[in-house]
Amino acid sequence: CYIEKLNSAKYLGVGVMHESCNRISAAIATAQGRWYVCNGNKGGPSSAAWGYACDRGDHIGIAVDMDNGKFYASINGTWQEGGDPANGVGSMYSDLRTAYPNIDWYPCVSNWQADNAGVMNFGQTPFRFTPPEGFVPLNSSTIISEDTKLITNPQEYFTQINYTGDGNSGRQLEF
């Protein structure tokens, strides 16, 4: 899948977290997720400098290849560290299928400083940069199988919830 995030902060991470992670802890710095951090680091089990830092207004692209367990990140359409998702080389991580076998991964944004914000695009609007060949938006038309029960009225199941932080850490929204 391919997703984009319009960046607004240096300490915002975008990536994937596995289903059993602790959503209250700073999972961006643990083995529970695989992230590109806007300060130019990768977050996860081997957090380290990786690629370039981004600035406010930059578009972060994330390509996830679950068939091969690979995770890639781009800034304004340039894949970091020589990554080439279409050809399967230069991934930030290549362990999504082996780190936690038989566990689902979910797209996620992590912020741990005040005023961090961003706009995620899963394909609901046109992407700013062209996804790599073979990577598609994360939406119902790309993940529905023949056995999937379709939701004809999403408002019965989903709604938007706006949250304004209060400066305290360790918040988990309950729905």
Side-chain angles (χ1 to χ4, degrees):
C1 75
Y2 177 78
I3 58 176
E4 278 184 353
K5 179 192 143 312
L6 175 60
N7 185 49
S8 65
K10 287 280 189 197
Y11 295 101
L12 199 69
V14 60
V16 293
M17 294 175 73
H18 64 76
E19 66 180 13
S20 61
C21 73
N22 179 346
R23 291 177 302 278
I24 295 176
S25 71
I28 197 165
T30 71
Q32 297 175 335
R34 305 294 183 268
W35 308 85
Y36 170 74
V37 185
C38 294
N39 65 357
N41 288 340
K42 64 179 181 176
S46 56
S47 297
W50 195 86
Y52 299 97
C54 57
D55 292 316
R56 291 178 190 269
D58 285 344
H59 290 262
I60 311 308
I62 300 296
V64 179
D65 176 357
M66 286 307 298
D67 291 335
N68 297 299
K70 294 184 177 183
F71 178 95
Y72 302 85
S74 69
I75 301 174
N76 297 327
T78 301
W79 295 98
Q80 300 300 289
E81 297 291 326
D84 183 354
N87 289 305
V89 297
S91 62
M92 179 187 290
Y93 287 104
S94 60
D95 66 346
L96 296 180
R97 298 197 41 93
T98 58
Y100 299 93
N102 302 316
I103 290 182
D104 292 330
W105 292 81
Y106 299 93
C108 199
V109 174
S110 180
N111 64 348
W112 63 95
Q113 287 190 344
D115 299 327
N116 282 348
V119 176
M120 292 298 299
N121 183 357
F122 295 95
Q124 69 272 22
T125 60
F127 290 121
R128 175 71 169 85
F129 295 93
T130 303
E133 185 177 330
F135 288 78
V136 296
L138 182 62
N139 61 43
S140 61
S141 68
T142 62
I143 59 174
I144 291 178
S145 72
E146 293 175 5
D147 299 327
T148 303
K149 178 183 175 191
L150 295 177
I151 297 173
T152 57
N153 185 0
Q155 289 76 22
E156 291 179 12
Y157 302 94
F158 302 99
T159 187
Q160 175 178 325
I161 297 174
N162 293 322
Y163 172 77
T164 302
D166 59 9
N168 293 314
S169 62
R171 297 288 186 218
Q172 180 175 346
L173 300 178
E174 298 294 334
F175 303 101

